[in-house]
Amino acid sequence: MEKIVIDYIFRPFFVAIDGFKDVIGRNIQVISNYQETKQNNQRFKDKIEQLNYQLTKLEKIKNENQRLRKLLNFKERVPYQVVGASVISHSADNWSQIVTINRGQESGIKAKMAVVAEEGYLIGIIKRVTAHTSQVLLLTDQQFVTGGLVSRNASRDLGVVRGRKGSNKLLMNNLSWDADIVSEDIIVTSGLSGNLPKGLPIGEVISVSPDNYGLTQEAELNPFFDLNRLEEVLVITNFTTKTDVSLPPFNIDSLLIKGEE
């Protein structure tokens, strides 16, 4: 009789305790599921980061292969001796436009040699050389000067191409007052100095205007290559001055990039 009374009195407490145990059990399960979900999410996140890294790496390799293929394309088109190099640093100041490459005297490189990028676009000349590195004076530097030639067969007029201080454009001046030069003309190296081959693409004419009180003309040029994204180059170590890559069989049209692949 006493047991029945005790059961009757304490049964609500036992039921409450069992209910409390169920609540605790469910909460523990929820916490456990949350921890497992959190760990799974972290694993997925790590996997996504790894895949993104691999994709970035593959894209970098793809772009590098495209650049190298274009350099090789130029090398196979022209009868020049060339040395491939990678850009390892850019000038840190705003006054000079210079990059350093990882090839020097031991690779046969000397001062004043021409340096080209993809498809043979002229990007500068060798300025200083050490045993294993070289400085390249870019054509946008105010100290850069070379002879320029209008590649159009009906013209072939000559001028001097210079870099412009604080600008990514080029200036071609010393053109005769009656020089046949118009917007969209292609300007190539004249080869008259003997340091650079004839016919290397320099840039495209943006505008033409009178200069020196109308006694001469000058033209503004847009370089073919974005010098801010230089990574690989070719240094032309030997060439024949009789070769003109802007004339057949090395036609200028075959050297110009028509669009990204």
Side-chain angles (χ1 to χ4, degrees):
M1 182 67 178
E2 292 180 356
K3 185 176 183 306
I4 294 174
V5 172
I6 292 172
D7 287 344
Y8 179 78
I9 294 173
F10 288 101
R11 178 176 296 279
F13 296 100
F14 294 147
V15 171
I17 290 172
D18 289 341
F20 184 65
K21 287 169 60 179
D22 290 341
V23 170
I24 291 176
R26 287 196 297 271
N27 287 338
I28 290 174
Q29 185 63 42
V30 168
I31 293 172
S32 176
N33 291 340
Y34 171 77
Q35 292 293 337
E36 184 178 355
T37 301
K38 185 177 179 181
Q39 291 173 358
N40 287 336
N41 286 342
Q42 186 61 47
R43 284 195 292 269
F44 290 143
K45 183 178 179 181
D46 292 341
K47 188 66 175 179
I48 290 171
E49 288 179 354
Q50 292 176 6
L51 291 173
N52 285 335
Y53 173 77
Q54 293 296 329
L55 286 173
T56 302
K57 191 174 180 180
L58 289 172
E59 186 67 20
K60 183 178 179 180
I61 293 173
K62 175 186 174 183
N63 292 336
E64 182 179 0
N65 286 339
Q66 288 178 339
R67 293 192 303 270
L68 293 175
R69 188 167 68 248
K70 290 174 182 177
L71 284 173
L72 182 61
N73 180 46
F74 172 76
K75 181 179 178 181
E76 292 176 344
R77 287 177 184 272
V78 295
Y80 301 154
Q81 293 180 19
V82 298
V83 172
S86 297
V87 174
I88 56 177
S89 70
H90 291 253
S91 55
D93 58 75
N94 295 325
W95 302 104
S96 59
Q97 296 291 317
I98 294 174
V99 297
T100 302
I101 58 176
N102 64 344
R103 294 288 184 270
Q105 293 171 343
E106 293 198 359
S107 298
I109 294 177
K110 299 177 182 178
K112 297 184 179 180
M113 287 181 171
V115 185
V116 299
E118 303 165 9
E119 304 289 355
Y121 296 129
L122 180 69
I123 59 101
I125 58 172
I126 299 295
K127 184 178 182 181
R128 293 190 181 92
V129 186
T130 67
H132 302 289
T133 63
S134 301
Q135 286 187 341
V136 181
L137 182 71
L138 300 179
L139 48 77
T140 49
D141 190 283
Q142 59 182 331
Q143 296 183 21
F144 181 89
V145 180
T146 192
L149 171 71
V150 180
S151 67
R152 185 161 39 88
N153 288 332
S155 173
R156 311 298 287 180
D157 278 303
L158 296 167
V160 177
V161 178
R162 307 173 185 273
R164 305 177 71 178
K165 182 178 178 180
S167 174
N168 60 355
K169 308 299 182 184
L170 306 174
L171 178 68
M172 184 176 184
N173 57 14
N174 287 19
L175 289 156
S176 65
W177 67 270
D178 61 346
D180 182 9
I181 180 171
V182 295
S183 177
E184 298 186 359
D185 269 341
I186 303 301
I187 306 302
V188 299
T189 51
S190 66
L192 296 179
S193 67
N195 293 321
L196 277 65
K198 185 177 182 180
L200 295 177
I202 299 175
E204 182 179 5
V205 175
I206 303 172
S207 62
V208 181
S209 58
D211 188 30
N212 195 23
Y213 302 101
L215 299 177
T216 59
Q217 297 184 78
E218 66 178 18
E220 186 177 40
L221 313 181
N222 198 22
F224 283 119
F225 196 83
D226 182 359
L227 301 177
N228 293 318
R229 63 182 183 88
L230 274 176
E231 295 187 61
E232 296 89 18
V233 299
L234 290 177
V235 181
I236 299 176
T237 57
N238 196 8
F239 64 93
T240 170
T241 56
K242 295 180 180 180
T243 300
D244 183 353
V245 295
S246 67
L247 294 175
F250 308 105
N251 193 292
I252 186 70
D253 292 334
S254 66
L255 295 175
L256 302 183
I257 297 177
K258 298 301 182 182
E260 294 296 329
E261 295 181 5

